[in-house]
Structure formats: C-alpha cells, structure tokens
Amino acid sequence: ETSAKVIDGKSIAKQIRDEITVEISRMKDTVGVVPGLAVILVGDRKDSATYVRNKKKACESVGINSYEVNLPEDSTEQEVLKHISGFNDDPTVHGILVQLPLPSHMNEQNILNSVCIEKDVDGFHPLNIGRLAMRGREPLFVSCTPKGCIELLHRYGVEIKGRRAVVIGRSNIVGTPAALLLQREDATVSVVHSRTKNPEEITRQADIIIAAVGQANMVRGNWIKPGAVVIDVGINAVEDAKSAKGYRLVGDVCYEEACKIASAITPVPGGVGPMTIAMLLSNTLSSAKRIHNFK
Amino acid sequence: ETSAKVIDGKSIAKQIRDEITVEISRMKDTVGVVPGLAVILVGDRKDSATYVRNKKKACESVGINSYEVNLPEDSTEQEVLKHISGFNDDPTVHGILVQLPLPSHMNEQNILNSVCIEKDVDGFHPLNIGRLAMRGREPLFVSCTPKGCIELLHRYGVEIKGRRAVVIGRSNIVGTPAALLLQREDATVSVVHSRTKNPEEITRQADIIIAAVGQANMVRGNWIKPGAVVIDVGINAVEDAKSAKGYRLVGDVCYEEACKIASAITPVPGGVGPMTIAMLLSNTLSSAKRIHNFK
Ligand SMILES: NC(=O)C1=CN([C@@H]2O[C@H](COP(=O)(O)OP(=O)(O)OC[C@H]3O[C@@H](n4cnc5c(N)ncnc54)[C@H](OP(=O)(O)O)[C@@H]3O)[C@@H](O)[C@H]2O)C=CC1
Ligand SMILES: NC(=O)C1=CN([C@@H]2O[C@H](COP(=O)(O)OP(=O)(O)OC[C@H]3O[C@@H](n4cnc5c(N)ncnc54)[C@H](OP(=O)(O)O)[C@@H]3O)[C@@H](O)[C@H]2O)C=CC1
C-alpha cells in the first residue's frame, strides 16, 4: 500500500546530464571552448578516491575535461595552495573542487577560501553563502547537493512558494544552503537541528521536508504530514547480514513508513545522490559559459 | 493588568554606552588610539540627516572621533567611491558607514561592496552575512539592529538555546541576520514573510518573537503564546490628532494587547531603537581594537 510517488533522482540526473552534453557540444562548436573541472585529492582515503573517480567519470560522460591532482597525505598546506593558485590562473579550468575531508594538519578554511570565487563550483565560499542569504544578490554558484534537492522539486512540479518547509540539519554544505534556497523561493522555512526540542512536532507541519542529518531512519512515518513531499539527503550505512558487503545504505527517513504517508519521496540510493554529481557538472558548465560570456 | 516585563532598551543602551566610554579611555591611555567612525551622507533627505546627526552625537558622547562627508544629491557614484576608498586607507578611521537610502542613480551594491570588510561596521557585506550563516565561521561585524535585539535577550537573561524563535521579516539588514544569529545560539528558527500563509499560527508557537516588518500593529495579542518574549523592531508612524506632530510612532506589534500576554516586550520607541546606535558604537570600538590588536 505504498502511495507516495517515487522521485527518481537517477533518471532526472540522467536527463540533466543529457542536457549538459548537448550544451557542451554546442559551446565547443560555437566558440571552441570545452569546460574543465580540476579536482584536488589529498591523502588516500578510499571513499574520497571513489568520489573523485565518480566525478571524473561523470565529467567524461558529458564532455567536460577533468584534471586531477593527487597529493600525498603528508603534503603541506602550501603545496595544496600552490596547486589551487595554478588552477585559479589556468584558463582551461572553469571549476575547482577540493575533495573533503582534508588531512587534519591542514586548515580547511584557508584552502577553501583560496579557490577563486569564479571557479568555486562547490559554492562553499562564504561570499556565495552570503549572497544566497541576501535578497537582491545572486550567488555565482549554489552547493551541489541542496541545488539538486530543489531541482528535484522543480522537475516534479512541486510548488514551493507559500508552502511550509522544514529542513532537518544545518550544515554549511547541505542544510543551511537548502534552507536559504527554499526561502528564496518563498517557502516559509523552519530549520531543525540537534538542539531542537520537538523535531517531530515541527516536521509534521511541513509541506516539504528536506532531511540532511546523517542519522539512519530518524524521520519516522508519524513525523510526516499526510501528503508532504520528502527529500532524503542522508546516506547511512547500516548492518545487513543479507547483503554481500555486510551493510546497506539507508537515508535519514524511514522509507517504509514514509512512503505510505508522503505524496512523493526520494529513495536512498537513487534519489539525491545522483543529483549532486549532475549539479556539479551543471555548475562547471555555467562557469565556463560565464567566463566566456557564452549564452 | 499589564503583566509583561518591559525590556528597557534605552537604559540598556545607556549602560552599554557607559561600558564603551570606559573601554575607549582605557584604549586611549594604553595605546594612544582613539576609534574613528566615518559617515557618508548623499543628498538632503531630512530623516537621513537626523540619523547621521544622532550617530555623530552618540560618537561624541563615548569619545569616538566622527568624520562626516556630505555630498550633494547629484554626485556621481565615482565620487562616493573615491571617498570610501580614502576612508578605507585612512588609519584613523575604523568604521565606515554609508547612510541609506542612496540616490536612485547610484548602485547601492557597488558602493556597499567597496567598503573594506575590516571597516564594515554595518555588517552589510555579503562576506559577513555568509560567515554569519556558516558554522565554524565568524563574521567580523554583525548588523547593528539584529545584534541589538540579541543583546537585549542576553541582558535580560532570556534563554535562546533550544527555544522556538520566529522572526517576522527577512530583510538583509534586520530579519535575515536576526534569524541567523538566533540559529547560531541554537534556537529553532522559523522565518515568516509576506508570502507566508498562516503567520499567526506559526508565530503562536514561538518562545521568542522578533518582528521586523514595517506594518503598524500587525502582530496581535492572539498571535502570541502566553509567556513569549517579544522584540519589536518596527518603527511606524501612525496618525494621531492628539500629538503635536500629528502622528506617533508604533511598532509592528500591537503593544496594548501583547503586553498582557507576553512575559517580556520591548516598547516602541525606547526598545530596539537605542540599541541600534549602541551596537554601532560597539562595532566601531571592536574594529579599532582588532585593527590595533588591543585586548
Ligand atoms: N546525497 C548526497 O549527495 C549527499 C549526502 N550527504 C549525506 O547527508 C547527511 C548530512 O550530511 P551533512 O549535512 O554533511 O552532515 P553534518 O554532520 O555536517 O550535519 C548534520 C546536521 O544534522 C543535525 N543533526 C544531527 N543529529 C540530529 C538529530 N538527532 N536531530 C536533529 N538534527 C540532527 C546536526 O545538528 P547540529 O548542527 O546541531 O550539530 C547538523 O546540523 C549525511 O548522511 C551525509 O552522508 C551529504 C552530502 C551529499
Ligand atoms: N529600531 C531600529 O533601529 C530599526 C528599525 N527598523 C524598522 O523595522 C521595520 C523593518 O525594517 P526592514 O527590515 O528594513 O524592512 P523591509 O521593508 O526591508 O523588510 C520588511 C520585511 O517584512 C516582510 N513583510 C512585509 N509585510 C509583511 C506581512 N504582511 N506579513 C509578513 N511579513 C511581511 C517582508 O517580506 P518579503 O521579504 O516577502 O517582502 C520583508 O521581508 C521597519 O518598520 C523599520 O522602520 C529598521 C531598521 C532599524
């Protein structure tokens, strides 16, 4: 008796990547420019290496040039900054991405701040967050995951203006920009976090829920107003003896319960995840267009 | 049968100005530096002239040097920028303030962005707003009016952490930074604006209400949860035949009704207003301390 429409992030992301592919070849044909994305990876965390590999593959699939720098774990902050500065000056690079987390001996703020704002395709620069928060200002880039969430709402025709939205989580890269984006589109937004006393009561008032917490299955069916739209950003590994790997991925929302109450919901995996990479490609394309003034 | 405690902004502001006076003389005696505030006024709007005069007077009363530039209405943007640039480079100036609104032929964004961030005592720069929105980042300055609102809550011992807060209004200079400040202090914040469908229902859930709307008496008694704390930023002129001027000033909250239901409330005038100027002085002092590394 599943009633919710499943918001198919994988297929929407595919559609967006196809649109990007077309735009990139149009750009190449018209002005001879190919967008380029530079990725800096420090250390040898397995998960980070996988993310970087997926991003490179995604770039190739749409025709974006990708440049990768792999630095050893014990590199100095200076070395990372040197590479960023090189990419800042490199006209074939339109987006620069520093894979997080960085080794603990490095100052993440210094490094992220050194990416020039015109190439900050991750949208993490405080100037971009500030512009996102302000009326009448436009950020150059919006962080990929929250942008992907809103894009899903748009492509599924979910009205945002005048609706109540609850964002659970307030991180710099997901929760906070998601809340600012929803407010820009005239939702009435409440932000729930770890100090919130009655999260279920507040969440139950929402027409739109974005959950970005990192707690497996935290949002239960009775947190959800019947008919609400649920975007589940969480990716959590839970033990699963039946799986070959010994675990499986679940979201921050208890899907089995929520899909009976919500009107639409993103699955995990296959919901927000694929959209994040699609938005990275989209930001890189926009950046190249802006730098070359190509419409 | 008024039950609410009246939050006396005038007396708190006086107390803060006294604290600032002491700090300024200590700074002068120890390192020989006197904080300086530069104010740029373009055109001859009466209200703006009054604000600027009040700010100058407040500076004098605590021992801050004030510098004023008055430019004619038909000045060019270039001329304003030239003065800002001069103040940016002037070591005796620690804060720069451009009185708004500017004449309509000028680009407000360009002008505000040209104030160097170390002297942006108004806290209007998007970099400051971005840092305010982000966990782990610190803005150099917080806009004076919202900072004054939070200061009132602090000085009256109102707990913020874990409480529900509703901010009505989302302007760049009041509502948005007020919401970000409350969230930084771990309130659970909802932002109500002109597209919100059921503002009274949402407002009624709040333990703390900050109203910054510009609509006389909009927040009625039945919008307020018994015992809530109400901070009224609004300053609205309403006709009043009994007054010599023909009008009187009221807030965004219907005081007569609210004071019977709230546990504490700011009056208008005499609430947030005096705090705004006190925070400007406080920001100017902090700036001078930071620039001269004086603790
Ligand atoms: N699909 C994708 O592409 C992406 C998925 N993710 C996933 O999204 C999730 C969130 O990521 P991220 O934002 O980076 O995580 P962070 O850990 O940075 O932030 C988590 C947020 O959730 C809040 N929180 C934690 N516990 C609770 C609780 N019990 N009740 C209410 N709020 C709580 C925290 O509150 P407080 O601020 O008070 O500490 C914090 O604001 C993770 O599962 C992550 O793997 C992340 C990025 C991309
Ligand atoms: N005490 C002091 O020192 C100061 C006082 N003020 C006073 O504070 C008030 C607000 O100032 P400011 O923030 O600059 O004003 P703005 O006009 O810039 O912003 C007003 C905000 O209120 C919202 N709003 C308007 N009408 C309604 C409504 N009917 N219901 C809900 N929300 C509504 C608007 O929503 P939307 O965004 O959807 O348009 C907007 O976000 C004014 O009265 C001003 O005089 C201001 C600064 C300093």
Side-chain angles (χ1 to χ4, degrees):
Chain A
E1 35 124 334
T2 301
S3 65
K5 194 190 299 178
V6 178
I7 299 180
D8 186 348
K10 207 170 157 182
S11 107
I12 299 273
K14 167 83 174 60
Q15 195 179 313
I16 292 172
R17 286 209 310 274
D18 289 345
E19 295 163 12
I20 292 173
T21 307
V22 171
E23 274 299 277
I24 286 177
S25 72
R26 186 171 74 86
M27 189 172 182
K28 191 174 170 183
D29 293 348
T30 320
V31 290
V33 171
V34 177
L37 177 69
V39 182
I40 295 172
L41 173 63
V42 188
D44 37 33
R45 283 177 64 120
K46 267 207 177 138
D47 55 345
S48 292
T50 307
Y51 291 135
V52 169
R53 199 167 49 242
N54 289 340
K55 286 169 189 172
K56 278 190 73 168
K57 260 200 269 179
C59 282
E60 279 162 28
S61 79
V62 298
I64 290 177
N65 288 333
S66 71
Y67 308 92
E68 193 183 330
V69 169
N70 282 301
L71 296 173
E73 178 79 22
D74 61 357
S75 310
T76 63
E77 199 175 308
Q78 233 38 51
E79 287 171 283
V80 179
L81 291 173
K82 202 192 66 194
H83 283 284
I84 292 176
S85 158
F87 288 134
N88 280 342
D89 296 339
D90 184 341
T92 68
V93 168
H94 306 96
I96 302 170
L97 197 139
V98 181
Q99 184 64 42
L100 301 180
L102 288 163
S104 56
H105 66 278
M106 293 185 183
N107 184 328
E108 183 183 300
Q109 269 194 44
N110 280 351
I111 290 177
L112 291 183
N113 284 350
S114 75
V115 174
C116 82
I117 184 161
E118 286 79 16
K119 301 187 178 181
D120 173 36
V121 284
D122 256 340
F124 292 168
H125 197 289
L127 201 50
N128 273 323
I129 303 283
R131 290 186 183 166
L132 187 64
M134 292 171 86
R135 319 259 304 159
R137 305 286 180 119
E138 288 296 329
L140 292 173
F141 301 101
V142 175
S143 324
C144 303
T145 302
K147 188 176 174 182
C149 296
I150 304 299
E151 190 68 29
L152 285 175
L153 295 174
H154 287 169
R155 301 238 174 184
Y156 272 82
V158 177
E159 209 191 339
I160 299 176
K161 186 172 176 165
R163 312 287 295 281
R164 292 269 327 251
V166 166
V167 177
I168 316 180
R170 53 171 168 173
S171 71
N172 292 341
I173 62 172
V174 192
T176 291
L180 296 174
L181 277 169
L182 288 166
Q183 184 170 301
R184 265 181 112 80
E185 302 216 9
D186 288 334
T188 299
V189 182
S190 306
V191 176
V192 164
H193 49 72
S194 71
R195 307 297 173 180
T196 299
K197 285 202 177 116
N198 38 5
E200 60 287 348
E201 190 187 314
I202 298 171
T203 307
R204 213 178 290 130
Q205 297 175 359
D207 303 305
I208 297 167
I209 299 169
I210 296 185
V213 192
Q215 302 275 342
N217 299 319
M218 187 182 84
V219 179
R220 307 295 301 264
N222 64 0
W223 290 40
I224 299 169
K225 177 162 91 175
V229 174
V230 178
I231 304 289
D232 188 355
V233 180
I235 303 180
N236 310 288
V238 294
E239 268 187 54
D240 182 0
K242 281 180 284 179
S243 152
K245 293 179 182 161
Y247 70 91
R248 71 195 155 90
L249 298 180
V250 302
D252 293 336
V253 178
C254 178
Y255 188 87
E256 298 73 46
E257 294 178 6
C259 68
K260 293 176 190 147
I261 297 162
S263 65
I265 185 169
T266 57
V268 175
V272 175
M275 292 298 287
T276 297
I277 288 196
M279 293 300 111
L280 175 64
L281 304 175
S282 158
N283 279 353
T284 305
L285 170 60
S286 311
S287 177
K289 284 184 166 184
R290 178 163 45 221
I291 289 171
H292 293 279
N293 198 18
F294 178 73
K295 310 262 177 221
Chain B
E1 37 125 333
T2 302
S3 66
K5 195 191 295 179
V6 178
I7 299 180
D8 185 347
K10 204 167 158 187
S11 108
I12 299 274
K14 167 85 173 60
Q15 195 178 316
I16 292 172
R17 287 209 311 274
D18 289 345
E19 294 163 13
I20 292 173
T21 308
V22 171
E23 274 300 276
I24 286 178
S25 73
R26 185 173 73 88
M27 190 174 181
K28 189 174 171 188
D29 293 348
T30 321
V31 291
V33 172
V34 176
L37 177 70
V39 183
I40 296 171
L41 173 64
V42 189
D44 37 34
R45 285 176 62 117
K46 268 209 178 136
D47 55 345
S48 292
T50 307
Y51 290 136
V52 169
R53 198 167 49 242
N54 288 341
K55 288 169 188 173
K56 278 190 71 168
K57 260 199 269 178
C59 282
E60 278 163 28
S61 79
V62 297
I64 290 176
N65 289 332
S66 69
Y67 308 92
E68 194 183 330
V69 170
N70 281 300
L71 296 172
E73 179 79 21
D74 61 357
S75 309
T76 63
E77 198 174 309
Q78 233 40 50
E79 288 172 283
V80 179
L81 291 173
K82 202 193 68 193
H83 283 283
I84 292 177
S85 160
F87 287 134
N88 280 343
D89 296 339
D90 184 340
T92 67
V93 168
H94 306 96
I96 302 170
L97 197 139
V98 182
Q99 184 65 42
L100 300 181
L102 289 162
S104 56
H105 66 278
M106 293 185 185
N107 183 327
E108 183 182 301
Q109 269 194 44
N110 281 351
I111 290 178
L112 292 183
N113 284 350
S114 75
V115 174
C116 82
I117 185 163
E118 285 79 17
K119 299 185 179 182
D120 173 36
V121 285
D122 256 339
F124 292 168
H125 197 289
L127 201 49
N128 272 323
I129 303 285
R131 290 185 183 169
L132 188 63
M134 293 171 85
R135 318 257 306 157
R137 305 285 179 121
E138 289 295 329
L140 292 172
F141 301 101
V142 175
S143 323
C144 303
T145 302
K147 187 175 175 182
C149 296
I150 304 299
E151 189 69 29
L152 285 176
L153 296 174
H154 287 169
R155 299 238 175 185
Y156 272 81
V158 176
E159 209 188 339
I160 299 176
K161 185 171 177 166
R163 312 289 293 282
R164 293 269 327 252
V166 167
V167 177
I168 316 180
R170 52 171 170 175
S171 70
N172 292 341
I173 62 171
V174 192
T176 291
L180 296 173
L181 276 170
L182 288 167
Q183 185 171 300
R184 265 181 111 82
E185 301 217 7
D186 287 333
T188 298
V189 181
S190 305
V191 176
V192 165
H193 49 72
S194 71
R195 307 298 172 178
T196 299
K197 283 197 179 123
N198 39 4
E200 59 289 349
E201 190 187 315
I202 299 170
T203 307
R204 214 177 291 130
Q205 297 174 359
D207 303 306
I208 298 167
I209 299 169
I210 296 185
V213 193
Q215 303 276 341
N217 298 320
M218 186 182 85
V219 178
R220 307 293 303 263
N222 63 0
W223 290 39
I224 298 168
K225 177 161 92 175
V229 174
V230 178
I231 305 289
D232 188 355
V233 180
I235 302 179
N236 310 287
V238 295
E239 270 187 52
D240 182 359
K242 280 180 285 178
S243 151
K245 294 179 183 163
Y247 70 91
R248 70 196 155 90
L249 297 179
V250 302
D252 293 336
V253 178
C254 179
Y255 189 87
E256 298 73 46
E257 293 178 7
C259 69
K260 293 176 189 143
I261 296 160
S263 65
I265 185 168
T266 57
V268 175
V272 175
M275 291 299 287
T276 297
I277 290 198
M279 292 301 112
L280 176 64
L281 304 176
S282 159
N283 279 352
T284 306
L285 170 60
S286 311
S287 178
K289 283 184 166 183
R290 180 164 41 224
I291 289 171
H292 294 278
N293 196 20
F294 178 74
K295 311 265 176 216

